Amino acid sequence: MVAPRYERIVILTGAGVSADSGISTFRDKDGIWAKYDVREVATPEGFARNPLRVHEFYNRRRRDSAGVEPNAAHVALARLEQTHPDVLVVTQNVDALHEAAGSRKLIHMHGELLSALCARCGERHAWHEDMGLETVCPSCHRPGCMRPNVVWFGEMPYRMSEIENALARCDLFVSIGTSGNVYPASGFVAQARAHGARTVELNLEPSSGISHFHEAIQGRASEIVPPFVEQLLRNAELM
Ligand code: APR
């Protein structure tokens, strides 16, 4: 288990943190990429080729996200933030479960499912309903230029300079529920470790980046994250 009090904690989450809420991961055997061709639904080229197919893919995920509840892992991470003075969650997930559990110091580096981006004027809007070829931008009022506010393969993830600053100053880096297959998130552990942080992985199975971690705890996030957070708070004498 982790040693005494950490001052600055960065937590990276992936699809595995939402799996126990019933949201599919991407690369597990029954995952999203086993059902859809990533090149068709998660690249700018796929959107240019067939925007309707991409809208339908995200419309289905947006509809499926309604009524999904955060699980004990999301709740424990929100409690950590509320109890410890310097915690940042960087999530690769586009679901809104960290916010629903109470996390506020949160970066969605791959964007958000419940948000839309106008490719013409660049404005972003909260978005809960279906989106299509004729959807009108609430800002510039033009039809046919709205897209999901999600970062596709080949696009630059959001708020990378804030993330890199946080990785350079943290003394504990925790990765939860990610397979470590997608850059730049998969490189965060090495960056944090190079700056002297202790690195811990919590995942159902060893990720591709397991060799970079000082410590690994295996299991379902909803079962292993709450005791891990309790231990952090006990070490910091915050509970
Ligand atoms: N608890 C903990 N970990 C779990 C659970 C669970 N209940 N279920 C699955 N996992 C683990 C899997 O073992 C796997 O290592 O979560 C990880 C999920 O990996 P991926 O499906 O690859 O998802 P992720 O790492 O978040 O993908 C990163 O790839 O496709 C892009 O943009 C997409 O953000 C996504 C990025």
Side-chain angles (χ1 to χ4, degrees), residues 14-16 19-20 25-28 33 92 110 153 177-179 182 203-205 219-221:
D20 294 344
T25 61
F26 292 95
R27 295 172 182 83
D28 288 326
W33 300 145
Q92 300 172 89
H110 289 165
F153 285 94
T178 181
S179 61
V182 176
N203 206 49
L204 194 59
E205 61 199 6
R220 305 193 70 83

Side-chain angles (χ1 to χ4, degrees), residues 134-157:
E134 294 310 311
T135 300
V136 173
C137 171
S139 296
C140 67
H141 309 298
R142 292 188 178 87
C145 44
M146 297 304 282
R147 59 167 275 184
N149 181 24
V150 170
V151 176
W152 288 327
F153 285 94
E155 296 183 323
M156 177 56 80

